[in-house]
Amino acid sequence: ETQKELIRDSWQAVSQDQLHHGMVLFTRLFELEPDLVLLFQYNSTHFTEAQECLSSTEFMEHIRKVMTVIDTAVSSLDSLQSLTEYLTNLGRKHRAVGVKLESFSTVGESLLFALETGLGDAFTPDTREAWSQLYSSVVRSMSRGWFK
Ligand code: HEM
């Protein structure tokens, strides 16, 4: 299988329940980098604990937004270039809310963790490598938002 096929097939297997896998992703992210919780502020509600954040409806919407971006990237594997401008803008918005570029490495680890949790043995080393490359290319575009 090519890398694109590995990504499409594995995404299809988890995308029935995107919210669940997104919860696994962000639960892991907040374990690895608890201070990221502080960046999610809705209607001047400040979360201090991961659990509060993870149970808010606005945050649930953010999970849906993240999963939609990933879904779009998977649907656009043959034309990722077409997403560059959107992703640069998205990076700029994340810089504006106080995200540090380095935190996107932890997000990447957490994404791989969530995929591995969801896919089990089907998450082979080749599949991991394919996802790792896709995620890098998404972050490469988003990172432009920090520099221009
Ligand atoms: C918006 C934080 C990672 C996609 C936001 C907002 C915050 C935020 C505070 C604004 C409030 C909201 O819309 O809920 C973070 C933090 C992250 C992170 C702390 C991890 C370090 C990501 C990732 C993606 C993403 C990995 C997708 C690849 C989005 C989208 C929006 C958004 C699509 C809406 C942007 C808009 O309104 O146009 N994020 N985010 N976020 N985030 Fe994230």
Side-chain angles (χ1 to χ4, degrees):
E1 283 186 287
T2 66
Q3 288 202 321
K4 287 174 188 172
E5 286 167 342
L6 290 171
I7 289 172
R8 287 189 189 111
D9 292 351
S10 55
W11 184 246
Q12 197 179 17
V14 295
S15 64
Q16 268 59 15
D17 201 355
Q18 293 187 15
L19 190 59
H20 168 73
H21 300 289
M23 283 292 282
V24 175
L25 191 169
F26 275 92
T27 301
R28 181 64 164 181
L29 180 65
F30 293 151
E31 278 167 17
L32 296 172
E33 221 173 304
D35 284 355
L36 289 176
V37 170
L38 305 172
L39 301 180
F40 290 96
Q41 301 176 8
Y42 299 105
N43 309 312
S44 60
T45 306
H46 295 240
F47 303 115
T48 50
E49 285 187 50
Q51 210 42 56
E52 282 176 79
C53 185
L54 289 163
S55 54
S56 93
T57 52
E58 292 94 339
F59 182 74
M60 221 54 73
E61 281 309 308
H62 181 265
I63 290 187
R64 288 197 187 284
K65 292 173 195 174
V66 173
M67 300 314 269
T68 301
V69 174
I70 297 172
D71 195 63
T72 304
V74 172
S75 310
S76 313
L77 286 175
D78 293 319
S79 55
L80 279 178
Q81 291 255 16
S82 67
L83 300 180
T84 305
E85 205 176 304
Y86 170 77
L87 291 173
T88 301
N89 240 309
L90 189 59
R92 199 176 291 126
K93 285 179 185 171
H94 284 82
R95 182 181 68 177
V97 297
V99 178
K100 299 264 179 294
L101 195 49
E102 306 86 79
S103 296
F104 277 98
S105 315
T106 326
V107 174
E109 268 182 63
S110 307
L111 170 64
L112 296 177
F113 174 84
L115 289 168
E116 183 165 30
T117 304
L119 292 164
D121 289 344
F123 195 61
T124 62
D126 284 350
T127 305
R128 164 182 286 268
E129 179 57 25
W131 273 99
S132 180
Q133 288 188 26
L134 173 60
Y135 181 74
S136 297
S137 98
V138 168
V139 169
R140 205 175 307 124
S141 295
M142 284 180 80
S143 68
R144 294 169 174 231
W146 270 260
F147 305 118
K148 65 173 215 185

